Amino acid sequence: MSRLLIVEDEPAIQNGIMAMIPDLNLPLQIVGACFNGKSALESLETLKPDIVLTDIKMPGMNGLELIQKSREVMPSIEYIILSGYSDFEYVRTAMQYGVNDYILKPFTYQEFREVMKKVCEKVENKKMYNYRRYIQELLFNNHPEKNKEAEVPGKYCCHYLALLCLGAFSVRSVDFITPDYTVWNAPEIEKRINDKMGQSGQCCVLDAKVTNEKIVFISVTDESVMHVKRFVNEASNYAKELDMPLTIALSNPFEDIEQLNKIHHEARINLSNRIVLGKSSVIIPEDTAPIENYVAINSQQRKSIHELLGNENLAGVIDQFLLLAEEWKKARLPQVICEFSAKYLVSEIYNRYDFLQKLYLLEDLLSKVEQVVCSSAGFGDFKEGIAGLMRDIEEDVVRSKVNLNVHEVVERIYQYICQHYTEAVSFEQLSRKFGYHASYISNTFTGIKGISPMKLMTNLRIAKAREMLADSKWPLKEIAAMTGYNDVNYFSRIFKEVVGVSPKQYRKNIRQGDVDKI
């Protein structure tokens, strides 16, 4: 509503204007009427008009002097000049003071209404602009300066804050998803929602830091939930129109808009914790119990993944991920859990291959996971994107094998045996991983290292067994199992062949201090 001050020294004209204003059907409120410029100037700070409709020729202080002096006090006021044809030179002077509108006397109803409508729209647009800027300051600045020209445009009992997110949520200020701007733009959304809410409320729609999100500040005339339902119903239409899931995070009703920064921060946390990839939903404060990140992969599934990685079966790991992803989709797990679990899988792959650590930083790979997630308009995009990233890693693994020369292969097998000698190592499978025949690699290994792979493994196992026999009371059967032998008799025979005495005799000699027999 625009506040109007009328300044006219002829009572008949002043009364006629005052009688005409209600019939214009415009957002105008008469806050005062004065008969000269001096009294009008004195009343400005009290009446705080948005528009001053003033005659030019008046006793004491004319309209031009009023405009000139009032600019120093309240520069934001819009002025409309009432002028006769003989006063047009005064109008030219008024234009120099920034007055853009005038009405020539005598005037018709239609002429008067057109000018008043134009100025009202200008005032309301200016108010909305100032108000929107102030809301932005409150949202993104903990201690904004109070804007004297910013006020809630209307009388409302409370407010809501809503965050709209098309597709995936992102904490980065990067546009991963770019919806059709002709549909998904703040002015268009604001107009549609305001038209739907009617006189019961008003919203201000602001751009967020990324294009697939919008911030909606809603003011309502009462606490009826119907106002919020109208907003949600209208906003939800964008999911169908843009063929993307839409998540709406709503705040509780509040009165103090100075708390917007805190409320916005809480709403973003709720959105990031609760948004589900590929599903439209409304998040309300009652749903916002804290969520702890966890890996949505149970112990049996992890064991299976580790076995696949141990056999360098990355294709199997990818298949396992695709099955897991379907479970996550069915369980409607939040985006944050899906992302956390995908990062776990990629980390496990990264830690399995030493050469990947030379090719990438782990942070770079995890950043790629995040990019896939944040670019996902639906769950299918997420699933295929993560699988595609894993396939890229698989190609790197294949290329690394092709590029390895035989000396590098021997060194890798040597390191593998040194780290896994207590396990059931199949040299044939180990050779096949690097694309070589087992007998060729065995002979080459022996030539380079001066010891055969099997002899190296046996020596490492027996050395470990000697340590355990000397430093523990473990039964022979358990020592055999912990050094890679399932058969204790076979272990004892191999031990005696290498050391010269049986494990039992070796332990006895250690305890008796008979060093010569060890």
Side-chain angles (χ1 to χ4, degrees):
M1 185 70 70
S2 297
R3 299 165 63 85
L4 173 66
L5 172 62
I6 301 170
V7 188
E8 169 60 59
D9 63 329
E10 295 186 29
I13 296 178
Q14 186 183 102
N15 291 335
I17 292 173
M18 293 179 68
M20 192 183 297
I21 293 298
D23 296 332
L24 297 179
N25 194 26
L26 294 174
L28 275 171
Q29 176 190 3
I30 299 174
V31 295
C34 300
F35 289 101
N36 59 67
K38 183 179 179 182
S39 62
L41 183 64
E42 292 172 350
S43 64
L44 287 182
E45 292 191 8
T46 303
L47 299 177
K48 294 182 172 55
D50 301 306
I51 304 170
V52 172
L53 174 62
T54 180
D55 194 5
I56 291 181
K57 291 184 177 181
M58 293 179 294
M61 179 186 291
N62 65 34
L64 295 182
E65 292 174 310
L66 168 63
I67 294 169
Q68 188 177 17
K69 291 182 180 296
S70 63
R71 285 291 189 201
E72 301 172 3
V73 181
M74 297 181 70
S76 63
I77 293 176
E78 294 293 329
Y79 293 90
I80 303 172
I81 295 293
L82 281 171
S83 169
Y85 285 101
S86 61
D87 301 328
F88 200 73
E89 283 303 316
Y90 289 104
V91 174
R92 292 180 187 274
T93 304
M95 297 295 184
Q96 297 175 5
Y97 296 151
V99 177
N100 295 319
D101 297 283
Y102 62 91
I103 300 173
L104 291 176
K105 296 185 287 187
F107 51 83
T108 66
Y109 169 87
Q110 191 60 36
E111 290 171 342
F112 184 68
R113 188 180 189 281
E114 285 181 6
V115 172
M116 296 305 297
K117 179 184 178 184
K118 177 182 175 183
V119 177
C120 280
E121 289 176 349
K122 185 176 181 180
V123 168
E124 292 305 312
N125 288 339
K126 188 192 299 183
K127 282 185 177 181
M128 203 62 194
Y129 173 77
N130 290 331
Y131 180 57
R132 184 176 279 104
R133 285 190 61 185
Y134 185 51
I135 293 298
Q136 287 177 317
E137 282 290 306
L138 289 170
L139 282 168
F140 303 120
N141 188 345
N142 283 320
H143 305 288
E145 293 184 7
K146 178 65 177 177
N147 187 338
K148 294 180 180 180
E149 297 181 1
E151 59 181 31
V152 178
K155 293 184 178 180
Y156 300 103
C157 79
C158 63
H159 314 280
Y160 293 86
L161 186 72
L163 303 184
L164 309 182
C165 181
L166 274 174
F169 174 83
S170 173
V171 295
R172 297 192 194 180
S173 298
V174 179
D175 290 331
F176 292 106
I177 298 175
T178 53
D180 182 356
Y181 181 77
T182 60
V183 179
W184 186 252
N185 64 82
E188 175 64 22
I189 297 171
E190 182 174 295
K191 183 179 183 304
R192 280 180 54 171
I193 294 175
N194 279 331
D195 289 346
K196 194 69 175 180
M197 296 187 73
Q199 298 299 315
S200 64
Q202 179 171 306
C203 79
C204 173
V205 180
L206 303 170
D207 291 319
K209 293 183 179 180
V210 289
T211 55
N212 66 313
E213 293 181 30
K214 301 296 177 191
I215 303 168
V216 186
F217 179 70
I218 308 165
S219 301
V220 293
T221 54
D222 57 65
E223 295 184 3
S224 170
V225 295
M226 291 306 299
H227 308 317
V228 178
K229 286 184 177 180
R230 289 193 193 98
F231 158 72
V232 170
N233 289 339
E234 184 60 33
S236 297
N237 290 329
Y238 284 97
K240 296 178 182 177
E241 293 176 29
L242 294 166
D243 194 26
M244 271 190 274
L246 175 71
T247 305
I248 304 173
L250 272 172
S251 74
N252 281 318
F254 59 94
E255 296 180 7
D256 184 8
I257 65 172
E258 301 290 331
Q259 297 297 313
L260 260 180
N261 182 270
K262 177 185 176 184
I263 293 168
H264 177 244
H265 177 70
E266 291 172 350
R268 280 189 63 79
I269 291 175
N270 295 340
L271 181 61
S272 66
N273 282 343
R274 297 288 174 176
I275 190 169
V276 177
L277 287 170
K279 298 291 183 181
S280 293
S281 62
V282 178
I283 301 170
I284 57 177
E286 286 74 9
D287 291 338
T288 54
I291 289 182
E292 292 187 7
N293 287 348
Y294 66 92
V295 176
I297 305 173
N298 63 39
S299 57
Q300 187 60 41
Q301 291 165 336
R302 294 190 195 196
K303 181 180 178 182
S304 174
I305 290 167
H306 290 156
E307 289 176 355
L308 291 167
L309 287 173
N311 293 324
E312 296 198 3
N313 185 358
L314 263 181
V317 175
I318 295 170
D319 290 340
Q320 183 74 46
F321 162 73
L322 293 173
L323 293 173
L324 285 167
E326 285 303 311
E327 290 182 11
W328 301 343
K329 179 181 179 181
K330 186 176 180 180
R332 294 177 66 99
L333 291 185
Q335 172 188 318
V336 64
I337 300 301
C338 295
E339 179 178 333
F340 196 69
S341 302
K343 285 181 175 179
Y344 165 81
L345 275 173
V346 170
S347 297
E348 290 296 299
I349 295 171
Y350 178 84
N351 292 327
R352 176 62 186 80
Y353 296 98
D354 293 340
F355 85 93
L356 285 177
Q357 297 168 27
K358 298 177 182 178
L359 196 60
Y360 301 103
L361 291 174
L362 178 58
E363 291 78 5
D364 293 338
L365 279 180
L366 298 184
S367 178
K368 289 186 177 184
V369 172
E370 188 176 336
Q371 289 176 33
V372 168
V373 174
C374 295
S375 302
S376 299
F379 196 89
D381 296 335
F382 161 74
K383 185 173 77 170
E384 291 306 317
I386 297 299
L389 176 59
M390 291 181 177
R391 291 187 187 102
D392 290 342
I393 296 174
E394 183 182 26
E395 289 180 8
D396 290 334
V397 171
V398 172
R399 280 194 294 269
S400 74
K401 291 178 181 179
V402 172
N403 294 333
L404 286 176
N405 60 42
V406 69
H407 284 78
E408 290 173 320
V409 170
V410 166
E411 184 59 32
R412 290 196 175 209
I413 291 176
Y414 178 83
Q415 294 296 332
Y416 185 88
I417 291 173
C418 289
Q419 294 171 12
H420 300 275
Y421 64 87
T422 61
E423 303 171 12
V425 178
S426 168
F427 189 74
E428 186 172 342
Q429 289 181 357
L430 196 57
S431 302
R432 197 182 305 127
K433 289 178 183 179
F434 295 99
Y436 287 93
H437 194 276
S439 60
Y440 172 77
I441 283 295
S442 179
N443 293 333
T444 305
F445 187 102
T446 303
I448 293 174
K449 293 296 184 181
I451 187 173
S452 71
M454 296 308 297
K455 184 65 174 176
L456 172 64
M457 190 182 307
T458 298
N459 287 351
L460 291 170
R461 287 176 171 178
I462 297 304
K464 183 65 176 178
R466 292 175 72 167
E467 289 179 15
M468 297 181 73
L469 287 166
D471 299 333
S472 73
K473 295 181 180 180
W474 290 102
L476 291 184
K477 186 176 182 180
E478 293 188 23
I479 291 176
M482 286 188 285
T483 53
Y485 295 101
N486 294 325
D487 186 335
V488 66
N489 293 326
Y490 180 70
F491 161 70
S492 296
R493 180 163 60 84
I494 296 298
F495 187 95
K496 187 172 183 179
E497 288 178 3
V498 175
V499 180
V501 295
S502 68
K504 187 175 181 180
Q505 185 63 44
Y506 181 84
R507 173 175 275 172
K508 182 179 179 181
N509 293 344
I510 287 289
R511 290 175 178 174
Q512 292 177 350
D514 195 348
V515 180
D516 293 336
K517 296 182 180 180
I518 297 175

